[in-house]
Amino acid sequence: MGYFINFENDELIFPDSYYTDGVFICPSYLPYYLKKYPNFKLEEGFISHLISVNYQNKKVIGKRDVLIIENKLSKLLEELDNSNYCD
C-alpha cells in the first residue's frame, strides 16, 4: 500500500488508490490538487459525465477522520507484521 506525499512539506496527500464509476477513473489525490490549483481545467467530457449522472459527493471526511483511519490501518499492519502468520 503506497501513499502520495507532498515533497514541499512532507504532508500526506492520500493513499495510492483510484475510484471509478465504470466510465471514468480518478486518482484519490485529485481533490487535493484541485484545491491546490483551483484554475486547473478538467476534461470537458468528465464534467459533462458528472452532470449527466447527477453526481453528488455525499461522503466527505475531514483530515481528522483520515488520520484516525490511517492510525487504525497502521496499527493493524504492525500487528500483522509482528504476528507469526507465516509459520
Side-chain angles (χ1 to χ4, degrees):
M1 200 181 249
Y3 289 90
F4 293 101
I5 297 173
N6 181 336
F7 290 111
E8 296 170 352
N9 59 17
D10 290 333
E11 175 186 14
L12 178 66
I13 298 174
F14 279 99
D16 183 9
S17 60
Y18 296 85
Y19 303 103
T20 183
D21 65 351
V23 178
F24 283 90
I25 300 171
C26 295
S28 62
Y29 55 79
L30 181 63
Y32 172 86
Y33 284 104
L34 290 177
K35 189 180 281 187
K36 185 172 182 170
Y37 302 105
N39 293 326
F40 183 82
K41 300 289 183 202
L42 292 170
E43 180 184 327
E44 188 59 40
F46 179 64
I47 300 295
S48 297
H49 175 71
L50 293 177
I51 292 168
S52 73
V53 297
N54 193 26
Y55 174 79
Q56 296 178 7
N57 188 0
K58 296 179 182 177
K59 179 70 175 166
V60 178
I61 61 173
K63 286 185 178 183
R64 180 178 179 278
D65 292 327
V66 170
L67 291 173
I68 290 169
I69 292 168
E70 288 171 349
N71 189 31
K72 288 179 181 179
L73 178 59
S74 177
K75 287 179 181 178
L76 178 62
L77 291 173
E78 187 175 314
E79 289 172 11
L80 286 173
D81 190 46
N82 291 332
S83 70
N84 293 323
Y85 59 89
C86 294
D87 285 341

